[in-house]
Amino acid sequence: MTVRTTQLRDAIAFALAVGATAAAGTGVAFAQEESKDATTTLDRIEVTGSRIKRADIETSQPIFSLSREDITAQGLTSVGDVIQNITANGSTLNSTFNNGGNGETRVNLRNLGSNRTLVLVNGRRWVGGNGLGGAVDLSTIPTAAVERIEVLKDGASTIYGSDAIAGVVNVILR
């Protein structure tokens, strides 16, 4: 009986040999002994979000956050006026800058329109009931009631829908 060697036979034999060597080469892992005096104190974690289902793996987004101290240091009375001062905000309707305005203040991130910026209050959608075409009047929220303001400067329309093409402003109340 003659045994013929081919490249396929040699490749299969090599793969079987490597597999058997890898399986035999795995060692046993030993657990470390538990030390009783090595305790770790963890910090408090606060999570703010919505009820929208999303993937467990999240990418880093450019989030700009204003704390309560930053807001009170500006000396402004409404959230709309505070948002007008951030650099990501474009030119929007504001009673201070537009003559004859009706007193409303909108947010317009990246100059894509005030109806393309989603406004959340405590993680829930804030709906403008004035017929503003999807835009929200931020002058209705006083700065005294605000704990912090988080601004997502990048588009988040895959999570929140077409209202968040320009970005998301999340106002967290006290």
Side-chain angles (χ1 to χ4, degrees):
M1 177 190 233
T2 307
V3 178
R4 302 172 93 195
T5 60
T6 62
Q7 285 183 338
L8 178 61
R9 181 187 174 283
D10 292 342
I12 292 172
F14 179 73
L16 288 173
V18 168
T21 306
T26 58
V28 178
F30 294 102
Q32 296 177 354
E33 291 185 22
E34 181 180 338
S35 63
K36 304 224 187 252
D37 56 340
T39 59
T40 304
T41 304
L42 299 176
D43 294 331
R44 180 177 175 210
I45 298 174
E46 182 175 334
V47 177
T48 304
S50 67
R51 295 180 183 181
I52 298 173
K53 291 184 180 180
R54 56 186 138 181
D56 292 333
I57 301 172
E58 304 241 341
T59 59
S60 61
Q61 297 286 335
I63 295 177
F64 175 72
S65 183
L66 285 168
S67 66
R68 178 152 181 74
E69 293 81 24
D70 296 334
I71 295 168
T72 55
Q74 292 182 13
L76 300 171
T77 58
S78 74
V79 172
D81 294 334
V82 172
I83 297 290
Q84 291 285 323
N85 289 335
I86 65 172
T87 58
N89 191 37
S91 57
T92 56
L93 186 64
N94 185 338
S95 61
T96 306
F97 301 115
N98 298 325
N99 295 337
N102 58 1
E104 62 191 29
T105 305
R106 300 180 186 175
V107 60
N108 180 10
L109 294 179
R110 298 173 17 198
N111 282 325
L112 292 176
S114 57
N115 58 344
R116 295 292 180 226
T117 302
L118 177 64
V119 177
L120 303 173
V121 175
N122 290 336
R124 295 181 183 241
R125 192 177 297 261
W126 187 259
V127 181
N130 301 347
L132 300 173
V136 175
D137 182 13
L138 290 174
S139 63
T140 59
I141 306 171
T143 57
V146 176
E147 180 65 31
R148 71 178 180 276
I149 299 173
E150 298 171 346
V151 180
L152 177 64
K153 298 187 221 179
D154 201 8
S157 61
T158 57
I159 298 172
Y160 295 105
S162 65
D163 291 350
I165 290 175
V168 179
V169 175
N170 188 11
V171 179
I172 299 181
L173 302 178
R174 295 169 90 187

